[in-house]
Amino acid sequence: MLDWLNSFTVLIQTITAVNFAYILSKKFSDDVFDLFFSSKTVDSLYEWDNNEISADIASLKSIDLDGIFRDAANPKENRESLLGNYTNLREKWDNLLKNLKDTITNAKAVKGFKCLFLAISLFCLVSLFNISILDAKSYELSSSFWLSFIVSFNILTFIYSIFLTIIIFTDAWRNLEKESCYKTTILIFIITVLLSLCLAFANERFLVLDFSIAFDQNPVLVTIIFALCAFLPFYPCLVSILYVVYKLTCFRIKANKETSTLRAERKELHAKKEKFDNVNDVYKRPEIKFE
Amino acid sequence: MAESELETYRAAVEDYARRGVNYLFHNKGDEHALIILSNLFKNAKKHIRIAANRLCDDSVVNTKEYIDSMKTFLDRDDTILDMLIVNAPAPEIVNSCDRENCFYWMIYNHPAYKAGRVHLREGEGRAFRDSKNGVLINFCTGDEKMFRLENNVYARTAIANFNDSDYTSDLIQSFDNIYQNQKAVDLQLYFQNA
């Protein structure tokens, strides 16, 4: 009864791990990105300036030059010049926003996240299989062989996950088709499993390390090996977050520098507009009488 | 004005009105007038004063946006609307417009009118004018800090500010000084057969 319950528990854990990895791979990296990196983030950089530019342009166009400007020199030319400057400024903002949005699109297009999730979900599957093998008492192969396999498999998968992380941060798979990425991922994973089996056989044949004794004598080793095993399923999420933080920091530095320049230009233009208004007495508020 | 330019202007006005930014808008034309006035009405909390010609033109006053935004103001508790027109329009002029887009019809049916929070008076030919050149002036104030003043009622060129207490107080004082002495207009005159 207890054996049946254990097997059933392992089955449920397997299904949960697969579902967890599948759902995460589909949604996680996109959702984290959208939280920090959406187009709304970019649009909000422009909102304040856009309002003032719109108000200044509309105000300049609405001023009654014939009614108000009496003594000013060339008010129409000055107004046209100011309007031209505002139009140029708006174009610069539009170009900047386009560049920033392209930066976001490029960052989101990096390949490797879903492959990392796929690799780790396959790792979870194999690990659960390993655990159930170890747990089954009637299996013929020695538990030492499976311990060797688990150790090799965990270390090789960890190295493999580091490799995928480097792929993500260097954007090395940008020109690869998505299907090619998945095929490469699965192929390397199969090689990992086969290599782990080979190492386990070799260890068993040449008795390099007797893990069953090693584990008794060196509990730290046990802790490290199983910590790797326990940590790995969360590794893709951690990599996603670190990647987004890294990209976000780079994006903010770039955006701040470029928007500061345009904001300074907008303030200068607004000051010129106010000078224009003052010189031409457009702030005149008429005194009124009722008759 | 190009459609996208008008929409960005509308967004800017809405933002400045909501935040009460002290910025002097110059504006021109019916579209600008409607954007400024509807935002003034929506953001006023207590008292609106309007000095206008007849308040029954179809290009600004008798539009859904103008009427709905005034309705938003009147729906608030204890708000007051004082209106001063040069001459009361003839009944056939008021009744010629579609009821759904008739400002006076909305006012007449609103609970605020029955509760005595809305007042309409006429100057019997007299109006506010620029002291220097005698040009007819229309204006609207919202609470103690928002105003829109039309210095050319035909071209609808105007200045407006959503946070200028000084000038708004001057306008309010000029309005209140003469308002109670003007002839009251009962909207029943137009809608008694409704």
Side-chain angles (χ1 to χ4, degrees), chain A residues 43-60:
Chain A
D43 291 335
S44 68
L45 292 171
Y46 182 34
E47 195 182 334
W48 179 277
D49 291 73
N50 191 22
N51 285 343
E52 192 166 279
I53 291 170
S54 298
D56 283 352
I57 288 175
S59 282
L60 279 169

Side-chain angles (χ1 to χ4, degrees), chain B residues 17 29 33 73 81 118 135 163 168:
Chain B
F73 170 74
L81 172 61
V118 179
V135 165
N163 193 355
T168 308

Side-chain angles (χ1 to χ4, degrees), chain A residues 1 13 95 105 114 136 171 257 271:
Chain A
M1 174 69 175
Q13 285 169 342
N95 287 337
T105 307
K114 291 189 167 79
D171 200 14
K257 189 175 161 194

Side-chain angles (χ1 to χ4, degrees), chain A residues 67-86:
Chain A
I68 292 173
F69 297 100
R70 290 175 293 276
D71 302 320
N74 303 321
K76 282 185 184 166
E77 286 80 3
N78 289 339
R79 180 171 72 172
E80 289 312 310
S81 168
L82 268 174
L83 281 171
N85 289 340
Y86 271 109

